[in-house]
Amino acid sequence: AQSVAQPEDQVNVAEGNPLTVKCTYSVSGNPYLFWYVQYPNRGLQFLLKYITGDNLVKGSYGFEAEFNKSQTSFHLKKPSALVSDSALYFCAVRVLNQAGTALIFGKGTTLSVSS
Amino acid sequence: DSGVTQTPKHLITATGQRVTLRCSPRSGDLSVYWYQQSLDQGLQFLIQYYNGEERAKGNILERFSAQQFPDLHSELNLSSLELGDSALYFCASSVVGSNTGELFFGEGSRLTVL
């Protein structure tokens, strides 16, 4: 079965320090991978995606993610965390169907950045 | 603002009742997806519609049903409600054919079953 896993429920980091939010996946074929962010009482917002090409993908708000095929991972990173980055982060994998796409999401990781 | 509109934002009802959640996708998007978000289950894919037809099913209960109308808005019907149905229900839409997989989410409808 195609799935995505986020092994950490919560990640705590001090402002200015680098952050990593982990994601591993299991899919057949080439993976299409995504990161979304959810702020309190809001819907999910797209951050970045990997479809093909460079293993390091850059996205919104200074975030980037590294695709590692051998480790089946797609970890989200940021060189210097901000307090405003505190939110719930979801990794997702695209599942193909007849007419388009559906995304299967991980359980989410709460990122807490302290000042 | 994602361009996806969901109503109502909040809904409180009793067990055994039936409710309808409404979603208007972004202009031009033909696909609509419904997701349920709860603390214990996380974000669960329920169902997808494309141009009025059901295209994919996820973890949707038999007590739940959905449809997409000719104007492309969608409704999610939840019946015989149970306490465990309390959750945040999200609608998302996508540009079919772009193959990017990016979904645009509404702000959700929070359902509380008492």
Side-chain angles (χ1 to χ4, degrees), chain B residues 16-89:
Chain B
Q17 295 298 305
R18 172 189 170 96
V19 299
T20 297
L21 309 180
R22 183 188 169 99
C23 169
S24 294
R26 289 190 327 155
S27 176
D29 285 359
L30 298 179
S31 269
V32 169
Y33 308 79
W34 286 97
Y35 285 85
Q36 178 195 59
Q37 185 179 34
S38 60
L39 284 176
D40 54 344
Q41 296 291 327
L43 195 61
Q44 297 284 317
F45 169 63
L46 296 178
I47 197 164
Q48 177 203 355
Y49 277 82
Y50 166 68
N51 203 21
E53 293 187 2
E54 180 186 305
R55 286 300 184 177
K57 256 187 179 179
N59 302 319
I60 188 166
L61 298 172
E62 287 190 6
R63 300 183 286 108
F64 296 0
S65 65
Q67 55 183 331
Q68 187 180 26
F69 295 86
D71 67 352
L72 301 178
H73 91 271
S74 178
E75 293 181 355
L76 179 66
N77 300 297
L78 315 174
S79 62
S80 303
L81 286 168
E82 302 175 359
L83 296 178
D85 297 327
S86 295
L88 193 52
Y89 291 85

Side-chain angles (χ1 to χ4, degrees), chain A residues 42-77:
Chain A
R42 302 298 298 274
L44 278 71
Q45 297 177 34
F46 170 78
L47 272 181
L48 51 80
K49 67 186 177 193
Y50 172 83
I51 295 177
T52 187
D54 194 347
N55 287 344
L56 186 64
V57 178
K58 295 190 183 297
S60 307
Y61 313 121
F63 283 94
E64 57 191 26
E66 186 170 12
F67 170 66
N68 188 316
K69 188 172 184 177
S70 62
Q71 296 186 5
T72 61
S73 67
F74 188 56
H75 300 332
L76 181 70
K77 300 181 180 184

Side-chain angles (χ1 to χ4, degrees), chain B residues 5-24:
Chain B
T5 304
Q6 290 188 247
T7 57
K9 291 190 185 303
H10 301 276
L11 189 55
I12 301 175
T13 189
T15 55
Q17 295 298 305
R18 172 189 170 96
V19 299
T20 297
L21 309 180
R22 183 188 169 99
C23 169
S24 294

